[in-house]
Amino acid sequence: MLRQRIRRPARLLAAAAVVALVGAVAPPATPAAEAAKRNVRIVGIGSTWSANAVAAWAANVQANGLEVQYEAAGSTQGRTQFREGKAHFGVSEIPYGLRDAFGGTDSKGARPSGYMPIVAGGTAFMYNLKINGRRVTNLRLSGEVIAKIFTGGIKRWNDPAIRADNPGLNLPARTITPVVRQDGSGTTAQFTLWMSKQHPAIWNAYCRNWNKPSPCGITSTYPRLAGMIGATGSDGVSGKVRQDNAEGSITYVEYSYAINARFPVVRVLNAAGYYVEPTARNVAVALTKARIQDRNPGAEDYLTQILDDVYRNNDPRSYPLSSYSYMILPVEPASAQAQYAFTLDHGETLGKFAYYFLCEGQQQAELLGYSPLPVNLVQKGMEQVQRIPGAQKLNIAQKIASCNNPTVSPGGGNALAKNAPQPSPCDKRGATQNPAGTAGAPQQTPVIAAAACRAGGGNAGPGGSAGPGGTAGPSTTAGPGATAGPAPTTGAPVVDPDTGEVLAAGTAGGGEQAAAVPVSLAGAGGWRLRHTMMLLAALLLLGLVVAPPLLSNSLRSRRTSDPWSDR
């Protein structure tokens, strides 16, 4: 017994020695394991305009062991938090250093950084408008009308200027409610930059309400008048517009948000005289005229965009409010005293993430509601990635060759722009109107007979196209009883749907009293109240006819089968 007690500790000591020996001669960790250890979490903050793309890419790389946390707090916060060392990277639609008409100059600070384009897209105008209870999906507006709506110059949907853009719709006398960003926003900056360049008289006059000198220029914080609604973030403004009680509202937001909300966007009039929506192809066409500051890699504005020629692009397919979004990258390690110290390990993770979205990520851009970067900007972007401390130095040419970027063309240029279909003749400014829907609401809206259009070609839904020679769908009219042209000069009184006020006794003169009679969509199909009442009446009649015999038979059967019933 004593011998067994002695042997047991001896065996345990021997086993421990073997384990120690094995551990001492264990093979070194593999490169993959070492790389996994260096994949530290990185934190970014900024743009909501491009947030749907950044969030999708961050979710995709998580499967490869990369943890990317992104907070969509607006471009202003992106620039501020990066400058102050409170984020590893920022995302913004505009660079540092611009003079903000309502916020002063946004300084870059001391942190060394560079800009890298990450995705293209279109600033769209998502709206909530109905005619006789049916959603309008094919609204068209000129740039001047848009500028007047967002500066208080046009207040009702039946304004003569809006009716001129929409000859196929008898628009209701409903109040327009602009929904604007109340936080610092790159989307606001891009929108106000466009207004300041294309409609300076309208924008400058609006800024004078706050005693701002002319030219007013760009701002990231939208100044609001009474009657406007403010909301935070792209989710905030699109969420306001999509509410059932928000009929008559309109906002500016990246195209992807309207697609996700299943809401339509405005077809905007371009310099060629066509109303277009910001599909991936139309954005690609527009941005062929963007001027990129790419001559001096050491310049502070390297790779930033100048969009003046984009606004004026006279290609019929071009969407005027097209632009790029940018990542703000660190080009030197950050101090350990910063809230988010930037080490070489952080740089390696950020580099892997950036290589991913510049390559594979661009293949998903159109599906996400954006437009992919052209190859020349992918190349410039990868060159910027190699400036990140700790990022891998890849062979850029080989990396790009493996990307399958949808803009690659064998003959050079942007394949997406080259293959973009021409707009439908129905989308040309004039007396006809395309019934096809837009963005997240592709269903057609009936147009009055006089504006019916049966021409082919043009876009066919969000992010896609009908292809050359494709059709825009059969022309749809408003059905029996619909008016056939502008608002009739005689007929029943026109009632304001907001207040119940009788605006006019069937007249259609100028000014706000010229309320159009809403189109009757009764002949356009769809389930209505009268259908429900007819169904209920039929069910009640059926019950009155069938129920008594069934009840009588049931009682008779129970008497027959019950042994305790009276005989």
Side-chain angles (χ1 to χ4, degrees):
M1 181 67 69
L2 180 61
R3 188 177 301 169
Q4 288 178 351
R5 290 177 182 171
I6 293 174
R7 285 177 185 168
R8 207 168 283 165
R11 288 172 181 170
L12 291 174
L13 288 172
V18 170
V19 170
L21 181 62
V22 170
V25 298
T30 63
E34 288 296 321
K37 291 180 182 178
R38 293 195 298 269
N39 289 339
V40 296
R41 180 176 68 100
I42 56 174
V43 176
I45 187 171
S47 169
T48 66
W49 189 92
S50 53
N52 287 340
V54 177
W57 296 332
N60 292 344
V61 298
Q62 190 172 12
N64 296 326
L66 299 182
E67 186 179 356
V68 179
Q69 179 182 323
Y70 182 70
E71 181 183 353
S75 293
T76 299
Q77 281 297 308
R79 297 190 305 277
T80 301
Q81 299 296 322
F82 178 85
R83 178 180 62 226
E84 297 177 356
K86 296 177 181 178
H88 296 121
F89 66 90
V91 180
S92 176
E93 276 68 67
I94 61 172
Y96 291 109
L98 298 182
R99 187 189 73 82
D100 189 306
F102 288 82
T105 301
D106 181 26
S107 65
K108 181 179 180 180
R111 187 177 184 184
S113 61
Y115 301 109
M116 178 181 70
I118 61 174
V119 74
T123 298
F125 299 93
M126 174 179 158
Y127 63 95
N128 184 342
L129 184 63
K130 295 179 181 178
I131 297 176
N132 280 4
R134 178 161 180 163
R135 187 173 307 287
V136 176
T137 64
N138 64 338
L139 188 71
R140 316 188 312 186
L141 297 175
S142 69
E144 181 179 355
V145 168
I146 291 170
K148 287 181 176 178
I149 286 174
F150 282 93
T151 56
I154 292 179
K155 299 180 182 296
R156 289 188 180 274
W157 282 109
N158 69 319
D159 187 278
I162 299 179
R163 291 166 61 199
D165 281 330
N166 296 275
L169 301 176
N170 278 331
L171 293 159
R174 182 174 289 282
T175 299
I176 298 173
T177 303
V179 180
V180 301
R181 291 283 290 273
Q182 65 184 14
D183 56 329
S185 160
T187 318
T188 297
Q190 290 292 11
F191 179 37
T192 57
L193 177 64
W194 170 80
M195 284 196 288
S196 72
K197 298 281 188 177
Q198 292 301 104
H199 306 284
I202 297 172
W203 180 238
N204 290 339
Y206 184 68
C207 290
R208 282 197 289 273
N209 289 306
W210 292 269
N211 298 317
K212 299 297 179 181
S214 298
C216 187
I218 189 174
T219 181
S220 294
T221 307
Y222 204 93
R224 301 202 309 272
L225 289 176
M228 295 182 177
I229 293 176
T232 300
S234 297
D235 276 329
V237 293
S238 59
K240 290 280 188 185
V241 170
R242 69 186 296 180
Q243 292 176 5
D244 291 339
N245 62 356
E247 189 175 342
S249 62
I250 183 170
T251 192
Y252 55 91
V253 72
E254 207 284 328
Y255 187 54
S256 66
Y257 287 87
I259 293 175
N260 291 343
R262 298 184 179 180
F263 263 70
V265 299
V266 170
R267 286 191 177 96
V268 178
L269 185 67
N270 64 22
Y274 284 85
Y275 297 91
V276 296
E277 68 176 299
T279 63
R281 290 168 173 79
N282 292 343
V283 168
V285 170
L287 289 174
T288 59
K289 296 294 185 179
R291 284 179 280 158
I292 304 298
Q293 307 279 55
D294 60 355
R295 294 186 178 180
N296 182 6
E300 288 196 352
D301 63 353
Y302 182 61
L303 295 187
T304 59
Q305 57 193 339
I306 299 175
L307 300 171
D308 299 49
D309 295 335
V310 173
Y311 304 151
R312 298 187 290 265
N313 191 335
N314 62 3
D315 189 305
R317 305 165 296 175
S318 176
Y319 183 75
L321 285 91
S322 300
S323 58
Y324 295 108
S325 187
Y326 289 81
M327 182 173 283
I328 306 172
L329 301 171
V331 294
E332 288 184 12
S335 165
Q337 282 71 43
Q339 182 174 347
Y340 287 101
F342 194 86
T343 67
L344 297 181
D345 287 346
H346 292 109
E348 182 166 352
T349 300
L350 180 56
K352 289 176 181 177
F353 180 49
Y355 282 130
Y356 168 78
F357 66 68
L358 287 172
C359 189
E360 291 91 340
Q362 299 303 311
Q363 299 172 25
Q364 307 159 22
E366 185 170 359
L367 293 175
L368 294 170
Y370 297 87
S371 187
L373 295 176
V375 174
N376 64 308
L377 288 186
V378 172
Q379 177 181 342
K380 297 292 185 182
M382 290 187 179
E383 291 171 1
Q384 289 290 78
V385 173
Q386 298 196 351
R387 296 179 63 196
I388 301 172
Q392 295 176 343
K393 302 294 191 286
L394 303 182
N395 184 309
I396 292 177
Q398 290 181 359
K399 182 65 176 175
I400 291 177
S402 69
C403 284
N404 294 322
N405 186 299
T407 69
V408 172
S409 172
N414 188 324
L416 209 63
K418 284 183 177 180
N419 298 327
Q422 293 295 324
S424 167
C426 306
D427 290 322
K428 188 172 177 61
R429 190 173 201 174
T432 60
Q433 185 163 357
N434 193 341
T438 55
Q443 63 271 22
Q444 293 188 354
T445 295
V447 297
I448 59 178
C453 184
R454 294 176 174 81
N459 297 318
S465 63
T471 61
S475 175
T476 309
T477 59
T483 55
T489 56
T490 61
V494 177
V495 178
D496 186 329
D498 292 320
T499 65
E501 176 189 2
V502 177
L503 298 180
T507 61
E512 290 214 7
Q513 297 299 314
V517 177
V519 173
S520 170
L521 301 181
W527 190 268
R528 297 188 175 276
L529 179 61
R530 67 174 181 273
H531 299 134
T532 302
M533 298 302 294
M534 291 169 63
L535 177 59
L536 291 174
L539 292 173
L540 181 60
L541 179 61
L542 182 63
L544 290 173
V545 172
V546 175
L550 291 177
L551 183 60
S552 176
N553 290 338
S554 175
L555 292 173
R556 187 180 303 114
S557 174
R558 289 179 62 184
R559 288 196 204 100
T560 304
S561 59
D562 187 352
W564 300 101
S565 63
D566 294 334
R567 299 197 185 269

